[in-house]
Amino acid sequence: PAAGAGRAQGQACRLGSGCWRLPRTLLLLRAAQRLLPAPLRRSGSGPAPPRLPGSLVRSGGFVGGGWVQAASAFPVLDPASGAEVGRVADCGVAEARAAVRAAREAGPGWSAAPAKERSALLRKWYSLMMENKDDLAKIITAENGKPLKEAEGEILYSASFLEWFAEEARRIYGDIIPPSVKDRRILVLKQPVGVAAIITPWNFPSAMITRKVGAALAAGCTVVVKPAEDTPLSALALAELANQAGIPAGVYNVVPCSQQQTPAVGEALCTDPLVAKISFTGSTATGKILLHHAAGTVKRVSMELGGHAPFIVFDSADVDRAVAGALASKYRNSGQTCVCTNRFLVQKRIHDAFVEKFAKAIERELRVGNGFDEGTTQGPLINEKAVGKVERHISDAVSQGASIVTGGKRHSFGKNFFEPTLLSNVTTNMLCTQEETFGPLAPVIKFDTEAEAIAIANSANVGLAGYFYSQDPAQIWRVAEQMEVGMVGVNEGIMSSVECPFGGVKQSGLGREGSKYGIDEYLEIKYVCFGGL
């Protein structure tokens, strides 16, 4: 049984002056449900699944401080082998609405608790993540496929958001504004928006949760998390640690569901009048659907959507440094990140040298394999559909005259593995420069002038991240200001950090996450006019 099982069974707990109790409907539901995690299973006669830490693997949803099952379960698969890692409760609309009610009931006590106490609980949750970082990383690699070293890095990054927002919880300041009338005082208060629905992707199954939830809880909001159907185990492991940390019942809820249930659950969360805020990370197409659903009740919305990042290398650049940045930016998580470079633009004088050095670096430094194998830098893509998209982009480019410099086909390691690929002679008419590939494909476009590069970079209808390499100070200022993206890396290929605002412009989304600005997404500003003084 999970630590804190007594509280999970519905005993009241208290923090400061707040009190949390489970609704009667949840208590009755819980009494009829199994609380133990499902065992790891093999799918047919296929390969054995990776061994996972039983202390953190959970199979139920987490609602109102306790583990709940659903009428059915869905499998979680290892992308590397196709083996079944486990089965998780396939929560539907009923479970989602129950989670919302639990969050709503927990809200007044949590928001009324002193910021110092919320801070202490977030800090405890952070400490438990650090104590369990190795096991949490193994869960990520098992359900996501990324190399274990990358998964370990994600856990450190993920935990840092809880640490950061534990500190920010005590720094939510209002204002006193000088009045224009003698007998008045003007106050500005910041208050939590209420219940926040958090919908997260599979590519960073831990960090995308804590970046949102850390801010929400610090602000005094309660949350319902709907993790990606491919990677629910990380969200449930975080729920187990939140419970151990003493996060009160109903403050953090998780409703995992299958791909079949996802549209209905997403719509339920976006239309429920008890939900005040939607925070989503995923594709632009899905974000537009959720925005449509949320419009009916005019909810606060944060969206971190698709990217199509340009990576410009100017003639003045340090080519070796640009190659190192390109390798890091493009092939992290096998190209499956929203800020991965999708288009390389290289000025003509250094184009050939860059392509040659980039190809050698790919062949020398990247190794495809199972994420649990020592030395692996490139794990599998999340599924065969993702592999098919990479193949389609390469086929289209080659048919229009592009050349394969290295890679270009599926890897012999397994059906979800693809060779790190570099294309040259690429034009802006090709699919790989018009769509986000989300895979290990690097297309290189040759350009002549700075103005031409900026025009190509800004031609997309999205603008999340952009990168460029230059040693000309004047050019650096010009290009950084002209790039139509929310984040710019200058002579850097990796720039995500807890202290910095993360988000995009155009159809890459709304709002910012992380940094001192991230907590504002979960706060309402209230003006109070105090008269008759």
Side-chain angles (χ1 to χ4, degrees), residues 79-151:
S81 65
E84 188 175 294
V85 176
R87 300 185 74 82
V88 171
D90 194 2
C91 295
V93 171
E95 290 82 7
R97 294 204 186 283
V100 170
R101 290 195 299 273
R104 174 75 171 193
E105 292 189 13
W110 181 247
S111 63
K116 183 177 180 180
E117 295 187 30
R118 292 199 302 271
S119 174
L121 287 176
L122 284 170
R123 182 75 192 194
K124 176 62 176 175
W125 193 6
Y126 158 79
S127 297
L128 287 171
M129 282 195 71
M130 296 303 292
E131 290 172 17
N132 292 274
K133 62 182 185 298
D134 293 340
D135 287 345
L136 291 169
K138 290 174 185 175
I139 292 173
I140 289 178
T141 296
E143 63 179 352
N144 168 280
K146 67 175 61 176
L148 189 57
K149 288 293 184 184
E150 282 195 26

Side-chain angles (χ1 to χ4, degrees), residues 56-224:
L56 292 179
V57 176
R58 293 289 176 268
S59 68
F62 190 70
V63 177
W67 300 101
V68 299
Q69 297 296 326
S72 61
F74 67 98
V76 179
L77 304 179
D78 169 21
S81 65
E84 188 175 294
V85 176
R87 300 185 74 82
V88 171
D90 194 2
C91 295
V93 171
E95 290 82 7
R97 294 204 186 283
V100 170
R101 290 195 299 273
R104 174 75 171 193
E105 292 189 13
W110 181 247
S111 63
K116 183 177 180 180
E117 295 187 30
R118 292 199 302 271
S119 174
L121 287 176
L122 284 170
R123 182 75 192 194
K124 176 62 176 175
W125 193 6
Y126 158 79
S127 297
L128 287 171
M129 282 195 71
M130 296 303 292
E131 290 172 17
N132 292 274
K133 62 182 185 298
D134 293 340
D135 287 345
L136 291 169
K138 290 174 185 175
I139 292 173
I140 289 178
T141 296
E143 63 179 352
N144 168 280
K146 67 175 61 176
L148 189 57
K149 288 293 184 184
E150 282 195 26
E152 291 168 351
E154 179 180 344
I155 292 302
L156 296 179
Y157 182 53
S158 176
S160 72
F161 285 107
L162 297 182
E163 179 185 39
W164 173 266
F165 285 114
E167 297 163 352
E168 289 297 292
R170 302 181 67 181
R171 296 173 176 83
I172 301 173
Y173 303 135
D175 286 301
I176 297 178
I177 299 173
S180 57
V181 180
K182 185 176 181 180
D183 64 348
R184 293 180 184 175
R185 297 295 182 270
I186 298 173
L187 289 74
V188 176
L189 310 179
K190 292 185 179 180
Q191 296 179 315
V193 298
V195 176
I198 307 295
I199 304 174
T200 58
W202 52 263
N203 58 339
F204 286 89
S206 182
M208 295 303 94
I209 292 175
T210 58
R211 190 162 73 186
K212 300 172 187 292
V213 170
L217 267 57
C221 297
T222 56
V223 301
V224 177

Side-chain angles (χ1 to χ4, degrees), residues 29-76:
L29 178 65
R30 182 114 357 93
Q33 292 170 327
R34 295 179 292 111
L35 300 179
L36 295 178
L40 300 184
R41 297 173 173 86
R42 296 183 67 170
S43 179
S45 58
R51 296 182 64 84
L52 292 180
S55 62
L56 292 179
V57 176
R58 293 289 176 268
S59 68
F62 190 70
V63 177
W67 300 101
V68 299
Q69 297 296 326
S72 61
F74 67 98
V76 179

